[in-house]
Amino acid sequence: MIDSLPQARLPRARIDRGLDVAGCHVDLAIDEAVDRSGISAAAARLAEDLVAAHSGCERRLVRVAALLPSGRPLAMVRGRGATVSVSLSHAGGLCGAAVCGTAGVGLDIVDPGEAGPALDVWFTPAELALFPDDGLLRPRLWAAKEAAFKAARLDDGFRPRAVAIERLDAAGFCWTVCGRYRRVCGRGVFTEAGTHLVAIAVAAASIRVEHQAGSD
Ligand SMILES: CC(C)(COP(=O)(O)OP(=O)(O)OC[C@H]1O[C@@H](n2cnc3c(N)ncnc32)[C@H](O)[C@@H]1OP(=O)(O)O)[C@@H](O)C(=O)NCCC(=O)NCCS
């Protein structure tokens, strides 16, 4: 885990198969995008590589595409929805993908230099008090919120204050996302990619809630 901004360069195409995230096996791939204008496609291709390896099927039979209108990525094998969950992220020339066969997964890559006090409007005082401000408190909180939102798979639109980070340390976090119709909770871990912070969240439970009129 990183305690200060790391200086190391990212080894090209870092791949972790079978990462343990709260008891779930997650496959993670992070790479430097050759062409920044094609970074979304590069992340989707990384996810396709992981899904093919995870499913043991030919690479050409796998496609990862965005579900509209939310933009959530979906994996398809032979034109049918795959049973695995996929998540994509890109930041500062890096693209990444995470795949999990047993839980909703969410990946977020954050440049710590871009996650400063301007983000405090999205954090509660309780969240800001979860861990000492060691320079990575805000990047961790922000990455945790975005990864948790993606893992929740609610297709509601991202509202940072609807994502509560309940526990946080340098290694991981616990979260709850309150959507319009469901409340989803789970856990996550942090790792690093070069100078970037990486959060990986997995969903543990989803509970149906009544939609409150005027709660939007
Ligand atoms: C999810 C979101 C907060 C991530 O933004 P970000 O952290 O700046 O960017 P990242 O690079 O880390 O992640 C982007 C990826 O998140 C994924 N993503 C987008 N929406 C998602 C969702 N609802 N759930 C899960 N993943 C989502 C996509 O794969 C996207 O990649 P793409 O831009 O290449 O398509 C942002 O994409 C968002 O706000 N999406 C919601 C869009 C929305 O409100 N749609 C309207 C109707 S529901």
Side-chain angles (χ1 to χ4, degrees):
M1 295 307 121
I2 51 183
D3 297 312
S4 58
L5 303 187
Q7 297 304 313
R9 294 273 305 159
L10 175 74
R12 193 163 168 76
R14 169 189 160 175
I15 297 181
D16 292 324
R17 301 283 315 278
L19 257 177
D20 184 340
V21 182
C24 298
H25 281 200
V26 174
D27 294 339
L28 171 72
I30 297 181
D31 203 353
E32 291 177 67
V34 177
D35 167 16
R36 287 199 186 195
S37 66
I39 203 161
S40 288
R45 301 296 86 82
L46 275 183
E48 289 167 358
D49 291 344
L50 291 180
V51 173
H54 181 97
S55 319
C57 68
E58 285 181 58
R59 172 67 180 74
R60 65 183 178 86
L61 300 175
V62 180
R63 281 288 174 275
V64 168
L67 176 73
L68 297 176
S70 76
R72 175 165 63 88
L74 271 185
M76 287 166 291
V77 177
R78 293 189 177 84
R80 294 185 175 192
T83 51
V84 293
S85 162
V86 299
S87 185
L88 312 179
S89 183
H90 32 78
L94 294 184
C95 57
V99 169
C100 182
T102 53
V105 67
L107 173 70
D108 200 58
I109 304 173
V110 164
D111 177 352
E114 293 184 359
L119 290 175
D120 283 3
V121 64
W122 303 116
F123 304 138
T124 63
E127 286 173 333
L128 286 167
L130 285 171
F131 197 71
D133 186 359
D134 59 354
L136 288 175
L137 172 63
R138 290 169 178 86
R140 285 193 192 103
L141 281 172
W142 187 250
K145 283 191 184 240
E146 291 207 319
F149 168 75
K150 293 175 183 178
R153 298 193 286 184
L154 289 170
D155 298 328
D156 272 356
F158 181 52
R159 292 178 296 128
R161 280 186 165 266
V163 184
I165 304 303
E166 288 137 355
R167 292 177 57 188
L168 181 96
D169 61 28
F173 55 98
C174 296
W175 55 270
T176 296
V177 181
C178 293
R180 294 181 74 197
Y181 302 105
R182 302 197 76 78
R183 180 178 302 132
V184 186
C185 63
R187 292 166 64 187
V189 299
F190 296 114
T191 183
E192 74 256 22
T195 58
H196 287 65
L197 177 71
V198 178
I200 308 159
V202 291
S206 174
I207 301 158
R208 189 175 172 80
V209 292
E210 293 302 320
H211 177 58
Q212 307 279 315
S215 65
D216 290 336

